[in-house]
C-alpha cells in the first residue's frame, strides 16, 4: 500500500489520525440533524441509554466493581467473567452523548460513578477485571485466556477511554486504559508470553490507542495478536480451534469461519494493522475473505452467522432463514470491518454492505420503543415458534429487555451514538459521502448541509455553506441497487460506485441527487437450498418481510409473482408502525400442499397453479416483531 493509500480516508473525529506514512489527515465532522438516523439517535438517548443503565445496575455490573472496595467482598454477580465489558461499551456510548451536550444529569452521574470506581479498583500493576480481582474467583488472572476475555475487556475499555478523551476532553478513563494496556504489552509483547485472547477485539483497540497516543508499542502488540492466532498458542476447550479462528494463521484462512463476532472483530483489527503498517499480505487476506463472505455467507439482511450451537458462521451457502443466528454484535462487527476496508481502499462495495447491515440486521436488534433487544435475528418465524434458542425450555417470543450475556444491548448503545462517524470521510481535496442522512458535514475546506428523507426516499439535496476558492470534489456514493440516477435532473453514471462532482463551489451552491427506489425482488444463489424457489423484496437499502397480522392467508402459503412486485404500492400508514414506508401488494394463495411430508416425485404435475389473490402488506424487516408475536417471512414463495 502506498502512503497515499495509507492516508486513505479519514472518518468523523475532531482529532488527527496517524497513518502509515506518519502524515496527519484532518477529519470531517458530521452532525446528524434529522431523518431516520436522528430518530434512532434520539431514541437511543432518551430510551435505550436509561434502560441500559438501569439493567446494568440491576444485573450487578456496577456492584461487581464497588464490591472490590470491601474488606471481604461478596462473590461476583453474573455468570460470565467478562461483564465489565458491558459497562465499557455503555461508557463509550455515553461519551458521545455527553460530548454532544445532549445527556441528562443521570447519565453524567453514572459515567462519573463508574469511571471513579474503575480508577479506585484498578490494581497497582494496571490489571483490571472485577471477576478475576474478586478473592472468590475460581481462577487467577490470565489463567484462562480462551474464555476469560480479559484482553477483550481491555479492548472495549480502550475504545471507551478514547471516546471520552476525544468527545469530552476527559482523560481519566484513558489513563486507566493506558495503564492496563501497558501491562498487556509487558506480559505479551515481543519476546514475552506468546499468547492471545480467545475473543478478538483488543487488536483494533490497540491500533486506536496507538493513533491516540503515538506509542508504537500498541501497534506492534496488535500485530502480534493477529499473527499469533493459528499457531497453537491458545488452549482450546468446549469448541474446536476453528471456533476461535485458531486452526490456521489469519493470512491462510480460506473463508470467514467460526464464531461470527470473533471472526469479524479479528478482521477489523487486522484491517487496522494493515492501515498503519501497509502490510500487503494482510490486505490480500482481508480482501479475499471479504469477497468470499459477501458471495457465500452473508444473509440478504446483511446478517452473519447461521449456527446457534456455537454462534458460528457456518459453511458456504449454509443460510437457513428460521435458524439464522445473525447476532446483533456480529452486525456491528461487520460494519466495523466494512468501514475499515472502505478507509483502506475508498471502495464503495464495502459501504454497500455497511448500509445493508445498518438498516436491516443491525436495526432489527432493537425494538421500536428502544427498550427490548434481539440477540439473534432470524429471517423467518414459524407459526408454532415458542423459544429463542435450544438452551431454554421457554423464552420470550420476541425481543427481551436484557440477557444473561448482555453483549448486544450496550453494543447497540455505543454504535447508535456514533453513527455520525460513518456518514462521511475526507481524502486530500475531496469529500466522500458514504451514507445519506439529513446532516451537516464540515471539513477544514468545506461545509455542506444534506437534506433527505433517506432511506424512505431517494432524493438528496446538498447545499454548500462554506467552500474553498479552488476546485473541490464531492464524491457521492451510488448504491449498487440504484438505477437511472440523476444529478440536477440529468442522467449520470457512477464509476466504481462513486459519482464525483468537482467544482469551484460557492456559498449557496446546491446539488440534487435522485436515487430511484422501485420495489425489487431478489432470488438466491441455486446452491442456497434454504431459499430456493423464493423471493425476497427490497426497496432502496431496506429489506421487507411479511408478518401474519398483515396477511389474510397464512404467510407460508403466499406466492409472489413478478407482476405482484411490479404493482406494489408504497404506503406510510400501518397500525402500530407509524411513519414507516410499507408495501401494499397482492399475492397468490398457493395450492394446497400434499398432506405427506415427503410425497413421491412423479411425472404428474401438481394440481393447478395459484389463481386466488389476497391483499398483503410488507413491512421493513427492521420493524418486525413490534406488534403481536406471529409468523414472519423475508423469503416468500415465488411463481
Amino acid at each position: 500500500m502506498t502512503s497515499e493509500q495509507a492516508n486513505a480516508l479519514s472518518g468523523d473525529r475532531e482529532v488527527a489520525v496517524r497513518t502509515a506514512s506518519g502524515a496527519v489527515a484532518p477529519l470531517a465532522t458530521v452532525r446528524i440533524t434529522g431523518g431516520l438516523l436522528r430518530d434512532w439517535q434520539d431514541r437511543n438517548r432518551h430510551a435505550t441509554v436509561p434502560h441500559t443503565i438501569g439493567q446494568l445496575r440491576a444485573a450487578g455490573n456496577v456492584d461487581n466493581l464497588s464490591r472490590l472496595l470491601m474488606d471481604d467482598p461478596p462473590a461476583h454477580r453474573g455468570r460470565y467473567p467478562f461483564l465489565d465489558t458491558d459497562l465499557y461499551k455503555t461508557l463509550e456510548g455515553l461519551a458521545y452523548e455527553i460530548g454532544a451536550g445532549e445527556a441528562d444529569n443521570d447519565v453524567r452521574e453514572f459515567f462519573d460513578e463508574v469511571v471513579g470506581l474503575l480508577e479506585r479498583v484498578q490494581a497497582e500493576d494496571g490489571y483490571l477485571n472485577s471477576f478475576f480481582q474478586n478473592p472468590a474467583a475460581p481462577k487467577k488472572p490470565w489463567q484462562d485466556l480462551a474464555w476469560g476475555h480479559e484482553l477483550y475487556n481491555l479492548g472495549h475499555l480502550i475504545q471507551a477511554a478514547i471516546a471520552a478523551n476525544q468527545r469530552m476532553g476527559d482523560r481519566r478513563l484513558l489513563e486507566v486504559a493506558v495503564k492496563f494496556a501497558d501491562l498487556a504489552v509487558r506480559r505479551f509483547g515481543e519476546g514475552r508470553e506468546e499468547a492471545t485472547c480467545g475473543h478478538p477485539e483488543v487488536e483494533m483497540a490497540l491500533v486506536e490507542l496507538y493513533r491516540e497516543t503515538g506509542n508504537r508499542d500498541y501497534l506492534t502488540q496488535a500485530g502480534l495478536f493477529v499473527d499469533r492466532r493459528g499457531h497453537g498458542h491458545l488452549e482450546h476447550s468446549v469448541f474446536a480451534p476453528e471456533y476461535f479462528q485458531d486452526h490456521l494463521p489469519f493470512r491462510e484462512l480460506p473463508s470467514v469461519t467460526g464464531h461470527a463476532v470473533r471472526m469479524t472483530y479479528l478482521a477489523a483489527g487486522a484491517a487496522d494493522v494493515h492501515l498503519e503498517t501497509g502490510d500487503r499480505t494482510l490486505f490480500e487476506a482481508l480482501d479475499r475473505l471479504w469477497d468470499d463472505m459477501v458471495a457465500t455467507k452473508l444473509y440478504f439482511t446483511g446478517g452473519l452467522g447461521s449456527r446457534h450451537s456455537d454462534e458460528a458462521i457456518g459453511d458456504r451457502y449454509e443460510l437457513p432463514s428460521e435458524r439464522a443466528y445473525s447476532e446483533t454484535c456480529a452486525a456491528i462487527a461487520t460494519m466495523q470491518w466494512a468501514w475499515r476496508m472502505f478507509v483502506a481502499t475508498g471502495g464503495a462495495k464495502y459501504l454497500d454492505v455497511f448500509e445493508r447491515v445498518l438498516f436491516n440486521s443491525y436495526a432489527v436488534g432493537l425494538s421500536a420503543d428502544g427498550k427490548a433487544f434481539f440477540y439473534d435475528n432470524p429471517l423467518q418465524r414459524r407459526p408454532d415458534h415458542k423459544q429463542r434458542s435450544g438452551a431454554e425450555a421457554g423464552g420470550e417470543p420476541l425481543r427481551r429487555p436484557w440477557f444473561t450475556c448482555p453483549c448486544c444491548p450496550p453494543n447497540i448503545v455505543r454504535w447508535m451514538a456514533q453513527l455520525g462517524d460513518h456518514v462521511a470521510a475526507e481524502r486530500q481535496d475531496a469529500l466522500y459521502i458514504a451514507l445519506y442522512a439529513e446532516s451537516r458535514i464540515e471539513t477544514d475546506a468545506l461545509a455542506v448541509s444534506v437534506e433527505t428523507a433517506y432511506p424512505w426516499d431517494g432524493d438528496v439535496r446538498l447545499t454548500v455553506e462554506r467552500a474553498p476558492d479552488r476546485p473541490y470534489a464531492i464524491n457521492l456514493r451510488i448504491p449498487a441497487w440504484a438505477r437511472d440516477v440523476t444529478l440536477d435532473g440529468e442522467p449520470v453514471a457512477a464509476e466504481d460506485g462513486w459519482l464525483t462532482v468537482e467544482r469551484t463551489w460557492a456559498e449557496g451552491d446546491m446539488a440534487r441527487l435522485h436515487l430511484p427506489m422501485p420495489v425489487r425482488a431478489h432470488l438466491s444463489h441455486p446452491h442456497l437450498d434454504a431459499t430456493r424457489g423464493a423471493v425476497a423484496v427490497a426497496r432502496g437499502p431496506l429489506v421487507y418481510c411479511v408478518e401474519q397480522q398483515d396477511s389474510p392467508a397464512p404467510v407460508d402459503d403466499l406466492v409472489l409473482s413478478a407482476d405482484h412486485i411490479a404493482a406494489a404500492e408504497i404506503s406510510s400508514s400501518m397500525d402500530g408502525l407509524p411513519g414507516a414506508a410499507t408495501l401494499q401488494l397482492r399475492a397468490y394463495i398457493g395450492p394446497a400442499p400434499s398432506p405427506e411430508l415427503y410425497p413421491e416425485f412423479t411425472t404428474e404435475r401438481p394440481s393447478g397453479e395459484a389463481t386466488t389473490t389476497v391483499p398483503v402488506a410488507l413491512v421493513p424487516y427492521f420493524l418486525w416483531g413490534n406488534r403481536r408475536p406471529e409468523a414472519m417471512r423475508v423469503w416468500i414463495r415465488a411463481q
Side-chain angles (χ1 to χ4, degrees):
M1 185 179 71
T2 67
S3 61
E4 178 180 324
Q5 289 171 318
N7 283 334
L9 300 169
S10 27
D12 168 73
R13 291 181 209 145
E14 296 177 354
V15 295
V17 171
R18 292 173 177 81
T19 62
S21 66
V24 176
L27 300 172
T29 59
V30 177
R31 185 168 65 90
I32 297 173
T33 56
L36 183 62
L37 295 190
R38 176 67 189 196
D39 290 344
W40 286 356
Q41 289 193 319
D42 288 343
R43 179 184 60 186
N44 190 53
R45 181 175 302 114
H46 299 303
T48 313
V49 164
H51 174 82
T52 298
I53 289 174
Q55 293 292 330
L56 288 169
R57 289 195 184 281
N61 297 61
V62 180
D63 285 349
N64 284 332
L65 293 174
S66 60
R67 288 178 175 193
L68 297 181
L69 300 174
M70 301 178 183
D71 292 334
D72 186 18
H76 184 274
R77 289 181 62 186
R79 178 178 176 182
Y80 299 103
F82 47 82
L83 297 179
D84 291 352
T85 189
D86 300 312
L87 289 172
Y88 301 150
K89 285 181 280 192
T90 302
L91 291 180
E92 183 180 353
L94 299 191
Y96 277 82
E97 302 292 356
I98 296 169
E102 302 195 48
D104 60 27
N105 289 335
D106 290 343
V107 169
R108 182 67 199 232
E109 289 171 4
F110 180 83
F111 183 91
D112 288 338
E113 176 188 355
V114 175
V115 172
L117 284 171
L118 293 169
E119 289 179 309
R120 295 175 67 190
V121 305
Q122 184 171 32
E124 190 65 30
D125 65 356
Y127 187 83
L128 183 58
N129 183 293
S130 67
F131 178 86
F132 290 102
Q133 284 180 267
N134 190 298
K139 295 182 179 180
K140 301 296 183 183
W142 310 122
Q143 191 175 349
D144 186 5
L145 286 173
W147 296 105
H149 289 34
E150 290 137 293
L151 292 169
Y152 167 81
N153 275 22
L154 170 60
H156 282 299
L157 171 62
I158 289 170
Q159 290 173 325
I162 291 172
N165 191 47
Q166 292 182 359
R167 301 290 166 164
M168 299 169 56
D170 187 335
R171 290 187 55 84
R172 293 176 297 163
L173 203 55
L174 184 62
E175 292 172 0
V176 171
V178 164
K179 192 174 179 182
F180 194 3
D182 288 344
L183 172 66
V185 170
R186 291 196 302 272
R187 184 177 184 96
F188 302 110
E190 290 185 286
R192 305 298 176 90
E193 184 179 345
E194 292 193 353
T196 190
C197 186
H199 197 310
E201 207 283 338
V202 73
E203 295 83 357
M204 55 178 154
L206 284 169
V207 177
E208 292 170 24
L209 189 59
Y210 157 67
R211 294 173 182 151
E212 189 74 4
T213 65
N215 185 343
R216 196 171 182 84
D217 288 346
Y218 304 137
L219 174 60
T220 300
Q221 189 64 56
L224 288 172
F225 283 147
V226 170
D227 288 339
R228 284 174 183 167
R229 204 165 292 271
H231 291 282
H233 299 304
L234 191 64
E235 184 176 336
H236 310 120
S237 63
V238 183
F239 295 113
E242 185 177 9
Y243 171 89
F244 303 93
Q245 296 79 44
D246 199 37
H247 58 303
L248 288 170
F250 181 82
R251 292 169 178 78
E252 298 176 20
L253 289 175
S255 181
V256 292
T257 190
H259 188 274
V261 184
R262 285 168 165 83
M263 179 70 244
T264 39
Y265 275 162
L266 175 62
D272 268 332
V273 172
H274 158 70
L275 277 166
E276 298 305 325
T277 64
D279 187 327
R280 189 66 192 175
T281 61
L282 267 184
F283 177 79
E284 289 168 353
L286 287 161
D287 197 45
R288 182 185 72 252
L289 291 169
W290 176 272
D291 286 346
D292 182 73
M293 176 185 73
V294 173
T296 69
K297 295 190 173 183
L298 208 61
Y299 279 97
F300 185 59
T301 58
L304 182 67
S306 61
R307 297 181 181 176
H308 281 243
S309 61
D310 50 356
E311 301 180 315
I313 293 169
D315 299 332
R316 292 184 176 94
Y317 306 110
E318 181 188 347
L319 295 167
S321 288
E322 68 271 59
R323 290 299 290 167
Y325 198 68
S326 187
E327 185 181 332
T328 302
C329 283
I332 293 171
T334 301
M335 286 187 282
Q336 289 178 312
W337 182 13
W339 184 261
R340 286 158 172 79
M341 295 298 282
F342 159 61
V343 169
T345 67
K349 70 176 184 179
Y350 305 109
L351 294 175
D352 284 342
V353 173
F354 184 106
E355 180 179 71
R356 177 161 41 131
V357 174
L358 174 65
F359 286 115
N360 299 288
S361 65
Y362 164 71
V364 73
L366 183 62
S367 62
D369 68 2
K371 298 180 181 179
F373 311 89
F374 279 144
Y375 198 106
D376 53 311
N377 297 288
L379 282 71
Q380 179 179 351
R381 186 182 192 273
R382 294 193 179 277
D384 59 347
H385 184 72
K386 295 279 179 69
Q387 61 187 48
R388 297 300 302 158
S389 78
E392 304 160 307
E396 297 290 337
L398 294 173
R399 296 173 180 85
R400 300 180 182 183
W402 206 245
F403 304 94
T404 304
C405 177
C407 57
C408 296
N411 224 358
I412 288 175
V413 166
R414 71 169 182 142
W415 195 252
M416 201 73 80
Q418 61 185 266
L419 286 180
D421 285 10
H422 305 93
V423 168
E426 186 184 22
R427 175 167 59 186
Q428 299 171 344
D429 269 1
L431 174 69
Y432 288 71
I433 298 184
L435 296 177
Y436 294 111
E438 192 162 319
S439 55
R440 188 177 190 276
I441 303 169
E442 187 173 2
T443 74
D444 285 350
L446 184 83
V448 61
S449 64
V450 180
E451 297 174 78
T452 182
Y454 199 88
W456 309 121
D457 185 274
D459 289 325
V460 183
R461 184 172 70 178
L462 287 73
T463 303
V464 173
E465 299 178 358
R466 175 173 52 81
D469 186 20
R470 64 178 187 278
Y472 189 94
I474 298 178
N475 294 283
L476 305 173
R477 183 177 63 89
I478 307 302
W481 49 259
R483 303 288 186 274
D484 302 320
V485 176
T486 63
L487 181 71
D488 296 329
E490 298 295 327
V492 291
E495 183 177 346
D496 295 328
W498 293 104
L499 174 63
T500 300
V501 187
E502 186 170 6
R503 304 173 186 166
T504 300
W505 301 90
E507 181 180 349
D509 282 355
M510 300 178 64
R512 293 179 175 87
L513 178 71
H514 178 61
L515 303 169
M517 288 187 174
V519 178
R520 320 186 299 276
H522 291 258
L523 302 172
S524 60
H525 192 282
H527 295 174
L528 209 168
D529 301 83
T531 50
R532 187 179 294 128
V535 295
V537 179
R539 179 175 177 267
L542 297 175
V543 174
Y544 280 75
C545 66
V546 58
E547 291 189 270
Q548 187 59 67
Q549 50 262 63
D550 301 320
S551 172
V555 297
D556 289 348
D557 293 340
L558 296 177
V559 180
L560 289 180
S561 70
D563 290 340
H564 294 144
I565 301 299
E569 297 181 353
I570 302 164
S571 171
S572 59
S573 175
M574 168 109 18
D575 291 342
L577 300 174
T582 59
L583 305 181
Q584 308 290 329
L585 45 75
R586 298 192 71 83
Y588 291 127
I589 302 176
S594 166
E596 298 179 57
L597 187 57
Y598 303 108
E600 183 179 356
F601 179 73
T602 67
T603 56
E604 186 176 329
R605 293 179 62 83
S607 58
E609 290 190 353
T611 57
T612 303
T613 65
V614 292
V616 175
L618 303 186
V619 303
Y621 170 72
F622 79 82
L623 284 172
W624 93 269
N626 280 288
R627 297 173 290 172
R628 299 187 303 275
E630 297 187 5
M632 178 275 294
R633 293 184 72 102
V634 167
W635 290 94
I636 302 170
R637 290 163 59 189
Q639 176 169 300

